[in-house]
Amino acid sequence: MRSVVHRLPSPAPGTEQSWLSLHFGTEGSGPKAVIQCALHADEVPGLLVGVHLRAHLTRLEAEGALVGEVVLVPAANVLGGAQALLGSHIGRFDLGTGINFNRGYRHLTPGLLQTVPDRLGADGAANRAIVRQACLELLAEWQPVTAADALKRELQMLAVDADTVLDLHCDSQAQMHLYAPTPWAETGLALGRCLDARLVLLARESGDDPFDDSVSRHWWELQEALGERFPLDLGCFSTTVELRGEADVSHELAARDAHGLLRFLEQRGHLLPGSTAPADSAGPCDALPLEGVDPLTAPCGGVLVFACRLGDEVQAGQTVAEVIDPLSAQSTPVKARVGGVFFAHSKTRWALRGERIGKVAGAKAFRTGKLLSL
Ligand SMILES: [Zn+2]
């Protein structure tokens, strides 16, 4: 294993922060996979999965079972890891700017359309390498000022030339689910089955440039724009894995999830065949459009009492929760607007008016525009 320390620009004299990437296998000798833990620094399950993965990858490397290179970023967001406000850890937003650490990555397609058409040819494999190189060149032109933007640029550069990118997050309280690109629906389902995930939520573009979009979206956009003139494949499968809820941190779960991820890496050709045991997938795993997820919001403030359990199939119009005003004792129902799987909800039980308190995944797309929460 090769360990690389990435130094971030110092925000003030006398302070310094750096992050680490662990490189297993041999760079450039085959496909590349990147696994990134807790870009939202308060989403801890992925950090423990990373600890388990590190041990497995060390063993697999010693056994000669790795194909190409597997990069593990064991704690992707050291900036968010050190933030607290009034006794609460804040890992999702940069406290200095209020900007989400998983938004604002570079959308590379406009720059690629300027730079690659003159360089592409008749060889698909060569075109893939040319596009990857052009991505790195475009990102090298990005000169960030803040430490948060410097971190984003480095993370995007580390993953943009990979074949497989797994970004490990979690929800507030939720069943295992993942976000995957629509053009990669089958691969997303394969990963979902390895992880025994309940849902794979598909979108071509999520909005606001999250990390996972930023390393894969340009491939199908280039294919659309230039595919008739040049052979261009989809060079990168990227996904955001939501490892259940924030408190779902245990060695038992982490060991199971690490195994599922390695099983998937084997299916993708990053490990020699037979390196991992079959995953014991049991439950159903459905691929549904992200545009079909209904974010439930609290109609008023009050005590939040859920009427359904995670995993329940709910009907349109069904009461999923109630919000109770403790002053009037009045209860206001929160009803599902679409039928589907109630797969995630808030971990707190005090709701403010307008707050998102849960999600139901339906089969029919009905939302447009920016599809992710804040
Ligand atoms: Zn997250």
Side-chain angles (χ1 to χ4, degrees), residues 38-43 92 100 102-103 167-171 240-242:
L39 177 56
H40 286 141
D42 44 6
E43 298 175 3
R92 185 176 182 84
N100 189 321
N102 192 22
R103 303 288 185 271
D167 195 19
L168 307 185
H169 288 244
C170 73
D171 210 300
T240 294
V241 179
E242 302 284 348

Side-chain angles (χ1 to χ4, degrees), residues 259-285:
H259 175 245
L261 293 169
L262 290 170
R263 182 76 188 156
F264 176 70
L265 287 189
E266 184 184 323
Q267 289 180 8
R268 290 274 296 153
H270 297 283
L271 306 179
L272 289 180
S275 302
T276 61
D280 36 279
S281 169
C285 178

Side-chain angles (χ1 to χ4, degrees), residues 300-303 322-333:
C300 54
V303 179
E322 56 177 330
V323 183
I324 302 169
D325 178 343
L327 303 181
S328 65
Q330 190 179 343
S331 165
T332 306

Side-chain angles (χ1 to χ4, degrees), residues 37-44 47 76-83 89-93 101:
C37 308
L39 177 56
H40 286 141
D42 44 6
E43 298 175 3
V44 180
L47 298 172
N77 186 356
V78 292
L79 299 171
Q83 292 185 148
H89 177 209
I90 307 288
R92 185 176 182 84
F93 302 96
F101 284 112

Side-chain angles (χ1 to χ4, degrees), residues 183-246:
W184 284 97
E186 281 307 313
T187 308
L189 265 173
L191 174 59
R193 290 190 194 104
C194 287
L195 289 168
D196 204 11
R198 178 65 188 88
L199 293 170
V200 179
L201 300 170
L202 299 170
R204 284 181 75 84
E205 182 192 339
S206 308
D208 285 332
D209 299 307
F211 171 80
D212 59 353
D213 276 16
S214 79
V215 294
S216 60
R217 174 183 165 193
H218 47 276
W219 287 105
W220 55 89
E221 291 176 341
L222 283 185
Q223 224 180 30
E224 255 173 31
L226 305 172
E228 284 183 6
R229 292 163 59 198
F230 307 104
L232 278 165
D233 60 8
L234 299 178
C236 176
F237 168 74
S238 69
T239 179
T240 294
V241 179
E242 302 284 348
L243 296 163
R244 309 178 193 81
E246 288 175 26

